Amino acid sequence: MNRAYAALAAMICLLFASGAGADQPVAWQIDLQQPVTSIMHEIKWFNHYTLWFIVPITLFVLALLILVVVKFRASANPVPSRTSHNTTIEIVWTVGPVLILLFLAIPSFNLLNKQLTMPENPDVTVKATATQWQWNYEYEGGATPVAFDSYMLKEEDRAAAGKVDKAVYPRLLAVDNELVLPVNKTVRMLVTAAPTDVIHAFAMPAFGVKIDAVPGRLNETWFRAEKEGLYYGQCSELCGKDHAYMPIAIRVVTQERYDAWMAAAASDLPGAYKVLSASVSAPAPAVDVASK
């Protein structure tokens, strides 16, 4: 009986625990990735909202096409109508689309305004510079500068990096050095490309972020991750032969782990990642429910 209570308690803890998240593409995915920022929550809502317009319109147009094919084919309608004007139809097909576009435009403009309005006093500022075919990250404003390159993890380097589990570190998405950021903090991203390079794009689907990295131009965006975890994105602008091998990985951790990583990364980046990975993957302390 005690074991049954212990198992039940463990299930309840798992069910209601906030836990760490991790989002990446999955096989046969038909919906957007699970949102971990307020902007992405609204993007996902807007995506589902537009379906209530797109699906009926598509079915209506299909029905009209079938009606025209069946009713007005040459064998069934040898003498076609010569009607050229119908005031009612003209009003309906003008006012109807205007109303539909109005219902789509208002939430769309509101969402764009939230995306493009930079919050004041961000907690963290990171500059991401793209080159063929990797990302360079530089933390701005810190007492000790931290900057590093991030390449796609090669298969032969998995064991040495401690990233053998492909469920956590998927092929073609895992990187050697993840961008580490604190949870529930406003992050300002400065995005550009090397002056002699081509246009890239910094895209993180779970965050609702996609912004071009243009040589000689500094673009900016922001996000606030609500959940710890390891999240994946990719360069989303065709940038050359290795465009498909330019992933983005962001690890969101607690403020304490972030501060410890920053302090260690300034002098020992590999060591800082090892300590961080060990602390993130360490199992939670067991609770002896059966004895209570």
Side-chain angles (χ1 to χ4, degrees):
M1 182 64 69
N2 287 339
R3 289 185 178 179
Y5 281 123
L8 179 61
M11 291 178 62
I12 293 174
C13 290
L14 287 173
L15 190 61
F16 291 98
S18 58
D23 223 332
Q24 55 186 272
V26 296
W28 301 100
Q29 185 172 0
I30 61 173
D31 201 355
L32 302 176
Q33 292 188 19
Q34 291 302 311
V36 289
T37 67
S38 59
I39 292 295
M40 189 57 196
H41 279 289
E42 294 197 33
I43 291 175
K44 191 166 186 176
W45 171 85
F46 184 68
N47 176 63
H48 294 168
Y49 171 76
T50 56
L51 290 177
W52 289 100
F53 297 89
I54 294 172
V55 172
I57 291 172
T58 302
L59 295 177
F60 176 68
V61 172
L62 177 63
L64 289 180
L65 289 174
I66 294 174
L67 176 65
V68 169
V69 169
V70 173
K71 186 175 180 180
F72 298 103
R73 67 187 191 278
S75 59
N77 189 48
V79 182
S81 171
R82 295 184 177 276
T83 302
S84 60
H85 291 83
N86 187 303
T87 303
T88 302
I89 293 178
E90 294 282 352
I91 293 175
V92 169
W93 72 31
T94 301
V95 175
V98 168
L99 292 177
I100 292 172
L101 291 175
L102 186 64
F103 277 101
L104 293 176
I106 293 176
S108 176
F109 290 155
N110 288 336
L111 179 56
L112 284 172
N113 183 62
K114 290 181 180 179
Q115 286 181 302
L116 299 176
T117 302
M118 292 295 300
E120 296 182 1
N121 303 318
D123 299 293
V124 180
T125 299
V126 180
K127 182 181 179 182
T129 303
T131 59
Q132 292 175 315
W133 288 270
Q134 53 91 22
W135 294 91
N136 171 269
Y137 299 114
E138 182 179 353
Y139 291 80
E140 305 282 343
T144 305
V146 175
F148 55 87
D149 293 331
S150 180
Y151 290 89
M152 186 183 74
L153 184 66
K154 297 180 180 179
E155 292 300 305
E156 59 268 24
D157 295 335
R158 283 184 175 273
K163 299 178 178 180
V164 180
D165 187 356
K166 291 188 178 181
V168 180
Y169 304 102
R171 177 178 173 271
L172 302 183
L173 286 177
V175 301
D176 55 352
N177 299 319
E178 296 96 4
L179 179 62
V180 179
L181 295 170
V183 69
N184 290 321
K185 298 294 183 180
T186 301
V187 178
R188 179 189 183 212
M189 289 293 302
L190 304 176
V191 182
T192 187
T196 58
D197 213 88
V198 299
I199 299 177
H200 301 268
F202 186 93
M204 182 57 60
F207 293 177
V209 169
K210 184 180 183 297
I211 188 166
D212 283 346
V214 183
R217 175 171 179 170
L218 198 62
N219 290 330
E220 65 177 356
T221 187
W222 71 279
F223 54 84
R224 185 184 179 95
E226 303 169 342
K227 194 174 183 181
E228 295 177 62
L230 185 54
Y231 303 94
Y232 293 101
Q234 290 176 300
C235 173
S236 295
E237 185 73 35
L238 188 60
C239 57
K241 71 180 184 67
D242 285 342
H243 163 67
Y245 309 109
M246 194 173 169
I248 302 167
I250 297 180
R251 186 184 291 277
V252 180
V253 297
T254 62
Q255 184 67 49
E256 293 75 15
R257 286 172 174 163
Y258 172 76
D259 292 337
W261 179 85
M262 283 289 290
S267 57
D268 182 13
L269 186 66
Y273 275 115
K274 288 182 180 179
V275 172
L276 179 62
S277 297
S279 65
V280 170
S281 60
V287 179
D288 187 3
V289 182
S291 63
K292 295 184 179 181

